[in-house]
Amino acid sequence: MVADRVIVVGAGVIGLTCAVRLLEAGHRVDVVARDLPLETTSAVAAAFWYPYRGLPQERVATWAATSYAVFDALADTDPESGVRMVPGTEVFVAPEPDPWWGTAVPGLARTRDLPHGWADGWTFTTPVLDPAVYLAWLAARVEHLGGTITRLNLAALPAGPGLVVNCAGLGARLLGADRTVVPVRGQVVVVEQTGIDRWWLDRSGPTYVVPREHDVVVGGTDVEGEWSRTASPATAEAILERATRLVPQLRDARVLRHRVGLRPVRPAVRLERVGDVVHCYGHGGAGVTLSWGVADEVVSLAATAAVSGSP
Ligand SMILES: Cc1cc2nc3c(=O)[nH]c(=O)nc-3n(C[C@H](O)[C@H](O)[C@H](O)COP(=O)(O)OP(=O)(O)OC[C@H]3O[C@@H](n4cnc5c(N)ncnc54)[C@H](O)[C@@H]3O)c2cc1C
């Protein structure tokens, strides 16, 4: 037995993925959102699988592992999803213990093949997706499965009937009356693809270079409590300088555009059911990475609510 109707608030990667899984489970789903998919923070993401600034660790590792498997399968079977598996290297200036999320990634291995100035590192192959392609693919999937996506700026969560799934990201400050969700500003520079075929990450900057099919995302910044979405030219210059030290091949790459997004960071992801509302927000710098894992859990919570008929 499933709920008659589910309203999903939010059309970023979390809302759309939850909508897909809820539709697949037999629910009737309507997505409502102030920003449509390509206008969301999710559209600014790099976007590669990496559990950055998402907590708590045990739940994040499980959700991330689920998503990894789904993306891996998509890369194999559905090129239109915009997902590709790309090898890369994470580097450290000092020796680093094994990562807490290591079991989620097949084939993670230490490497000595490091750029000058870095002392430790590991390589693994991870899903990389082009968010413009991927979010459009997810939205098409929602509609293909019979769901709807409507622009609506809400002052409060809808009051049923049926279940409401709150995937409002940073908007949960208002819609969940939750001041523990804070913006963590991330600026990136998108440059032309000059034949870069590996991703690189130095979390300490953070500095990252993520090659997509037609361009390369170069990041980044991580400024807590900062609300401005205007790109700073000085910051862009500093990002490119740091990234070029890591990947000298970037030196002559033409800049295509500058993007800024506000990560919805929370001390821990909120994923719980309270009455007829399932809250699912606060995925920090890892919304893409956690999306399929949390969506499965939202479906379980929705089913529990329907079976018990409560409250
Ligand atoms: C520069 C940058 C790089 C990143 N790189 C990565 C990466 O490589 N990998 C990764 O996994 N993650 C990455 N992230 C993090 C990722 O983008 C976020 O975790 C993710 O986008 C959160 O998704 P979301 O759906 O919760 O929120 P959002 O994408 O922000 O969507 C929230 C939705 O809720 C709606 N909403 C909010 N308030 C209201 C309201 N009052 N009424 C109606 N609708 C409302 C919005 O309009 C929107 O549709 C990055 C983030 C940034 C900024």
Side-chain angles (χ1 to χ4, degrees):
M1 182 177 153
V2 294
D4 281 343
R5 184 183 182 212
V6 180
I7 300 175
V8 173
V9 177
V13 70
I14 299 299
L16 294 179
T17 313
C18 288
V20 166
R21 282 296 190 242
L22 287 161
L23 285 157
E24 287 170 348
H27 296 271
R28 268 199 316 132
V29 177
D30 297 301
V31 178
V32 294
R34 183 192 59 216
D35 309 299
L36 294 179
L38 299 188
E39 305 159 354
T40 61
T41 302
S42 302
V44 180
F48 73 137
W49 182 104
Y50 188 90
Y52 183 65
R53 292 203 77 150
L55 290 166
Q57 287 186 357
E58 316 81 69
R59 292 181 91 192
V60 162
T62 306
W63 294 327
T66 301
S67 301
Y68 188 104
V70 175
F71 287 132
D72 195 6
L74 278 176
D76 247 8
T77 57
D78 196 339
E80 289 186 6
S81 63
V83 182
R84 295 180 312 129
M85 299 302 286
V86 179
T89 308
E90 178 168 12
V91 296
F92 304 91
V93 289
E96 179 77 10
D98 288 344
W100 53 267
W101 43 263
T103 52
V105 180
L108 185 128
R110 294 270 163 188
T111 181
R112 309 301 323 156
D113 188 9
L114 299 164
H116 181 68
W118 281 272
D120 200 0
W122 46 62
T123 61
F124 59 99
T125 294
T126 201
V128 170
L129 46 94
D130 182 330
V133 177
Y134 181 68
L135 291 170
W137 176 88
L138 270 182
R141 199 108 195 85
V142 168
E143 281 164 0
H144 176 77
L145 290 165
T148 66
I149 302 173
T150 306
R151 189 190 292 281
L152 202 58
N153 188 3
L154 299 169
L157 287 176
L163 200 69
V164 173
V165 181
N166 173 14
C167 304
L170 198 51
R173 277 176 74 85
L174 170 71
L175 296 182
D178 185 349
R179 294 284 151 163
T180 67
V181 202
V182 295
V184 173
R185 182 182 186 278
Q187 179 168 333
V188 296
V189 185
V190 181
V191 304
E192 68 178 339
Q193 184 43 288
T194 54
I196 295 171
D197 58 3
R198 295 180 66 81
W199 57 264
W200 290 88
L201 168 68
D202 176 351
R203 228 185 313 142
S204 66
T207 305
Y208 49 88
V209 177
V210 181
R212 305 191 299 207
E213 209 170 343
H214 303 294
D215 53 26
V216 180
V217 183
V218 184
T221 61
D222 191 0
V223 188
E224 189 154 332
E226 170 63 61
W227 285 91
S228 169
R229 290 192 52 207
T230 305
S232 146
T235 302
E237 208 172 299
I239 289 171
L240 285 171
E241 194 190 315
R242 271 189 275 134
T244 304
R245 245 180 279 138
L246 189 57
V247 184
Q249 217 179 330
L250 280 172
R251 192 170 311 281
D252 298 319
R254 194 164 47 95
V255 172
L256 301 177
R257 54 193 174 274
H258 301 271
R259 305 294 304 270
V260 175
L262 306 178
R263 301 177 184 91
V265 170
R266 195 174 183 269
V269 172
R270 185 173 188 199
L271 179 38
E272 62 174 348
R273 179 175 175 266
V274 179
D276 277 340
V277 178
V278 175
H279 294 282
C280 183
Y281 61 82
H283 303 83
V288 174
T289 307
L290 307 183
S291 52
W292 290 103
V294 296
D296 283 351
E297 208 165 310
V298 165
V299 171
S300 302
L301 291 171
T304 309
V307 169
S308 67
S310 65

